[in-house]
Amino acid sequence: MTDETQGIPEPEGPVELIDTEYEIGQDNVEGSVGPFGFDIHNPVFVISGLTIVIFVFYALVFREQATEAFGALRPWLTSTFNWFFLGSANIFVIFCLLLIVTPWGSVRLGGRDATPDYTYAGWFAMLFAAGMGIGLMFFGVLEPVYHMAISEPLGVPSPFAEDGTIIEENVEAAKRMGLAATIYHWGLHPWAIYAVVALALALFSFNKGLPLTIRSAFYPIFGERVWGWTGHIIDTLAVFATLFGLATSLGFGAQQANAGLEHVFGLPNNVEVQVVLITLITAVALVSVLRGLDGGVKVLSEINMVLAALLLLFVLLVGPTLLILSDFVAGLVTYAQDLVALSYPLNREDTGYMNGWTAFYWAWWISWSPFVGMFIARVSRGRTVREFVICVLIIPSLVCVLWMAVFGGVAIDQVLSDPANSAVKAQVIDSYNPPISLFAMLEGLPLAGITSTLGIVLVIVFFVTSSDSGSLVIDTITAGGKVDAPVPQRVFWCTFEGAVAIVLLLGGGLSALQAMVISTGLPFTVVLLLMCVAIGKGLASEPR
């Protein structure tokens, strides 16, 4: 049942509590090692921690073998299970849209009389920083330009001839499809994935009185078995998914920060420097961990939102503003028109786009969902289900779409205006160098040194907020739902997030990062599908 001492507030007003004898932390092992206390769930912490330690050891000691294995794993997973990832993501979007229009939308998280813990501004800032940070920086220029140039989605012709010259009659359709294909990956589908997990956690913790952990959402399906091995497996899968999803993002962030430092300051761009960067930034994240949610993540999130807004506004105003806004609208219209075709999971001819991009993205978002979902749940108490779903689904989607349209739109304009001298074309289309794409675009704008430095700072702060938030979430899961477990446990998970990112970079770079996120996202997709059923059962019993 709900326990104020574990940091979960009592429901306010009428709710339908679940009658269970389970107490938060009853299976935990408490004690201390020297001055450091611990309060861990047995066996979730032990299984998760030992498995991660063994993985790190294997990837470091058997580097060549690990590199080969990671390299083969990703293409096999995406080509074999692409239909499953795409079909499942479609179900999540439809489920969330139904919640908005059904009477279930009037249920309030935390009880009928609960009030929000955060203002809209603070809430949106934390949603934005935790949900998409590093990904927006890494893919904001890369993806729209790549899809425009390759134009494989739905068979749209490329605007480039074999000799690199522009085919004018193909330009407009390719531009629209480049933005639409990008919007598809950053719009409704990923945020629906996050909304499902966040809503399940908030509902069963704040309204049903169960621990704030993934297994609680499955009480309507499995009953008391969620406190046994059924629940242990669910929570352990959530830990693996979260850890490897975060490690992928941290790896992307380290590569991009290194590329920016080389571009601006001439720092060498290699794996060794990236390892040092991950180590240093993880140390900064540890400081944020020690400051807690309000003193660490919330403050950094708000700083990040301001810096990101400044960079976005600068690029929009110094770039071809009217053309960007026009292309933004055209991209949205094309996205709406082609949404069904882009999300269709069977018998696709654009397999490069479907396997190499969409299947990877959905696995990545799903692996991030325990982390982002629990974080969103913790800061969303007091919202109605309808308000929650609309804000989590629509508002961040529009911000992401605007970001992609501005950064990608400017880069596309640079490529098409002067393809022979475009730094973006050289880095994205000719040589495919993803980490440098943002800085190549900024190079073509005024004050490139200042904006590139700001871009590096943004990547680093997103890195810190992701690592801090992720360690908070993993610690909550491995502490049996306790949200105020001893700080050294969060330090442990924060440290190992950085360690996993390092060994994946050493053991295969981007392909290794992507392979592990897909392999952990696959089983967790099944967990999310069952979660939709549990949410329906839970909401049906709640007073509105």
Side-chain angles (χ1 to χ4, degrees), residues 313-328 410:
L313 189 62
F314 173 82
V315 174
L316 175 63
L317 293 179
V318 302
T321 307
L322 294 178
L323 180 63
I324 292 171
L325 296 176
S326 173
D327 289 344
F328 168 57
V410 169

Side-chain angles (χ1 to χ4, degrees), residues 510-540:
L510 279 176
S511 62
L513 294 165
Q514 294 168 347
M516 289 310 300
V517 81
I518 294 169
S519 62
T520 52
L522 180 62
F524 206 73
T525 305
V526 179
V527 173
L528 262 68
L529 290 170
L530 291 174
M531 200 174 274
C532 292
V533 177
I535 290 172
K537 288 177 175 289
L539 288 174

Side-chain angles (χ1 to χ4, degrees), residues 61 329 337 346 371 398 403 432:
V61 175
V329 174
Q337 292 173 339
L346 302 172
F371 150 51
L398 289 175
W403 184 281
Y432 193 68

Side-chain angles (χ1 to χ4, degrees), residues 86 90 154 184 189 334-346 348:
L86 269 69
N90 293 340
L154 307 185
Y184 170 57
H189 283 75
T334 305
Y335 165 67
Q337 292 173 339
D338 294 333
L339 178 59
V340 174
L342 287 168
S343 57
Y344 189 69
L346 302 172
R348 293 271 292 271

Side-chain angles (χ1 to χ4, degrees), residues 128-138 186 304 368 403 458 462 466:
F128 177 73
M132 289 294 180
I134 291 174
L136 287 178
M137 300 297 294
F138 194 88
W186 296 85
N304 238 20
W368 260 54
W403 184 281
L458 270 170
F462 275 131
S466 296

Side-chain angles (χ1 to χ4, degrees), residues 118 144 171 325:
Y118 297 97
V171 167
L325 296 176

Side-chain angles (χ1 to χ4, degrees), residues 467-537:
S467 182
D468 185 357
S469 308
S471 61
L472 171 69
V473 168
I474 295 175
D475 183 41
T476 301
I477 296 172
T478 56
K482 290 188 176 182
V483 296
D484 59 351
V487 173
Q489 293 174 204
R490 286 173 62 190
V491 171
F492 169 84
W493 288 114
C494 186
T495 302
F496 266 85
E497 286 162 20
V500 171
I502 288 171
V503 299
L504 287 174
L505 278 177
L506 293 174
L510 279 176
S511 62
L513 294 165
Q514 294 168 347
M516 289 310 300
V517 81
I518 294 169
S519 62
T520 52
L522 180 62
F524 206 73
T525 305
V526 179
V527 173
L528 262 68
L529 290 170
L530 291 174
M531 200 174 274
C532 292
V533 177
I535 290 172
K537 288 177 175 289

Side-chain angles (χ1 to χ4, degrees), residues 188-206:
L188 296 177
H189 283 75
W191 287 99
I193 291 168
Y194 294 159
V196 166
V197 179
L199 179 59
L201 290 167
L203 175 67
F204 287 96
S205 180
F206 300 145

